[in-house]
Amino acid sequence: MVAYGAGVLRKQSMALQDVVVVGAGMAGLICARRLQQAGYQVCVLEKSRGLGGRLATRRINGVPLDHGARYIQPEGEWLNALTQQLIAQGVLTLWQPHCYALDPSGHLQSAKLTLPYYVASQGMSAVGKAIAANLAVHRQQRVTALLPTPDNTWHITAERVADGTSVQHRAKAIVLAIPAPQIVPLLEPLRSHASLAKAATAISTVQYAPCLTVMAQYEPPFAFVAAPLPCDPTEPWAIEGHPDTPFFWIGLDSSKRSVEGFNVVLHSSSNFAQTWLDADNLQPAGSALLAEAGQFIASWMMRPLRWQVHRWRYARVKVPCPDSLPTMSDPLPLVACGDWCGDRHINSAFESGWAAADAVNTLLNGSPLANFSLD
């Protein structure tokens, strides 16, 4: 038996990783991919079945609908480079919808694109899968505890989502690439270390806005007799919402790809979502949002053939972390990253994951990392 901190754990023959990355969203996958390409032994732990975090796609009646990230609008040299690689691989393509915005009273106004939209023909989850190619990813493992050990390694305890059994991992360094509210409880037992206590305090200030997403499938377009959208409803279109309305964004998802049917994705405003956030049954919330769309946008929106609702507790960052990349070496190397390191959504997630790889590499005394490649 070996004593570790306040508890006693049985010494195990767990394979020692250079780095364990917790979270398979954009930030975690970018970080893991860069480190693996530099020669580090890396594994990723992800609590869900899918990859990509909010780069999420769901199939309804066999048809993909993006219920998380709507598109990628790359900013910065390296995300632009990744976007070009994904285009070359056939993962991403340009999407050019008619763009509108709701004003405070709910009236549609024409809007202009400031940056191009890139979408995935197979669904936005294809982006996460492409970045994760050849990475060692353990899915449906929820990390429950972190413990520094006397041999200068992290001991990581995870719970298998399927059956609740425990699984152990060891690493020289950890990257926490999950929503900020999920990081704080993991760091709380380690507050005796000043750097971790400081990081936990900074991360605890992060605030998110929730969202409810409705994925709706409709009759073929010829059934729409009255459609007051400024454009033909069968052409690509997207509507930016307004905080004073029930909507954050609405778009013709089926126009992103060649699929059968007529599919619309509706993202609620945070105020609308807050009302229903803890409801056991989200169907009434979905019905309410569709009814609002029928009044604000077009009457046919309240009558879908089929639809589903998804709850996002951590949809958008309202207040980012005051520390743009919490990094510490005491007691052992640990870096935290995610979209909550900034206020630019996917761009912030990408940039923080990129920076986290550099930070871990520095903590482990590595040479400068090479440029990123999907090859």
Side-chain angles (χ1 to χ4, degrees):
M1 302 289 285
V2 177
Y4 291 159
V8 177
L9 299 172
R10 184 173 300 278
K11 192 172 183 178
Q12 303 189 37
S13 58
M14 297 170 285
L16 176 63
Q17 300 288 325
D18 292 320
V19 186
V20 165
V21 177
V22 182
M26 172 67 90
L29 291 177
I30 287 294
C31 178
R33 187 69 182 257
R34 288 195 74 205
L35 291 171
Q36 185 190 66
Q37 287 182 346
Y40 288 101
Q41 292 293 319
V42 182
C43 78
V44 181
L45 307 182
E46 169 55 45
K47 71 174 183 179
S48 69
R49 289 177 295 178
L51 300 174
R54 285 189 292 280
L55 290 162
T57 305
R58 183 179 297 182
R59 288 186 175 272
I60 302 178
N61 201 35
V63 176
L65 291 93
D66 296 326
H67 63 290
R70 307 171 302 285
Y71 43 74
I72 291 178
Q73 281 186 299
E75 300 175 19
E77 178 183 0
W78 299 119
L79 183 52
N80 269 294
L82 172 62
T83 300
Q84 293 306 312
Q85 291 181 54
L86 290 168
I87 291 170
Q89 289 189 357
V91 176
L92 289 180
T93 186
L94 185 65
W95 186 48
Q96 297 178 292
H98 297 280
C99 293
Y100 307 100
L102 288 171
D103 64 20
S105 59
H107 295 109
L108 281 176
Q109 309 290 335
S110 292
K112 292 183 178 180
L113 280 176
T114 55
L115 291 170
Y117 290 162
Y118 293 98
V119 298
S121 59
Q122 299 302 312
M124 293 299 284
S125 61
V127 174
K129 293 175 183 176
I131 300 171
N134 301 317
L135 283 175
V137 182
H138 302 284
R139 309 190 198 203
Q140 291 195 286
Q141 290 193 17
R142 181 186 293 109
V143 172
T144 57
L146 310 174
L147 194 63
T149 68
D151 60 353
N152 291 322
T153 61
W154 283 107
H155 184 285
I156 301 136
T157 301
E159 179 185 77
R160 291 188 178 91
V161 174
D163 57 16
T165 57
S166 180
V167 59
Q168 313 298 325
H169 300 273
R170 292 170 62 227
K172 299 175 184 177
I174 294 176
V175 176
L176 298 177
I178 53 181
Q182 296 174 357
I183 293 176
V184 174
L186 293 175
L187 298 185
E188 195 64 32
L190 303 170
R191 276 187 172 270
S192 60
H193 303 278
S195 61
L196 286 172
K198 181 180 177 182
T201 299
I203 295 170
S204 68
T205 66
V206 172
Q207 295 181 27
Y208 282 90
C211 176
L212 296 182
T213 300
V214 175
M215 299 148 276
Q217 296 183 323
Y218 294 87
E219 290 280 6
F222 60 77
F224 303 141
V225 178
L229 281 168
C231 68
D232 183 329
T234 66
E235 296 179 358
W237 53 266
I239 301 170
E240 294 288 339
H242 190 279
D244 292 340
T245 73
F247 307 105
F248 177 75
W249 188 89
I250 307 172
L252 184 60
D253 191 83
S254 51
S255 66
K256 297 178 181 179
R257 53 191 64 94
S258 297
V259 295
E260 293 184 3
F262 191 80
N263 311 313
V264 176
V265 171
L266 307 91
H267 296 278
S268 79
S269 66
S270 58
N271 288 337
F272 180 94
Q274 199 65 56
T275 302
W276 301 89
L277 195 59
D278 295 316
D280 293 331
N281 180 8
L282 290 178
Q283 294 303 103
S287 294
L289 194 64
L290 289 167
E292 295 279 11
Q295 295 201 9
F296 278 86
I297 312 298
S299 60
W300 52 262
M301 285 192 182
M302 67 178 71
R303 298 186 297 274
L305 282 174
R306 61 189 70 85
W307 52 277
Q308 295 182 14
V309 189
H310 184 84
R311 172 173 25 218
W312 295 103
R313 289 190 180 275
Y314 310 120
R316 296 179 294 277
V317 177
K318 288 174 57 179
V319 179
C321 185
D323 185 345
S324 61
L325 190 74
T327 303
M328 58 227 72
S329 58
D330 176 33
L332 294 169
L334 185 147
V335 180
C337 63
D339 61 353
W340 49 268
C341 291
D343 57 4
R344 292 166 38 249
H345 312 299
I346 287 179
N347 286 276
S348 292
F350 176 89
E351 290 171 2
S352 71
W354 185 276
D358 285 322
V360 169
N361 182 57
T362 298
L363 290 170
L364 296 179
N365 301 311
S367 57
L369 297 180
N371 291 341
F372 182 89
S373 173
L374 290 177
D375 297 331

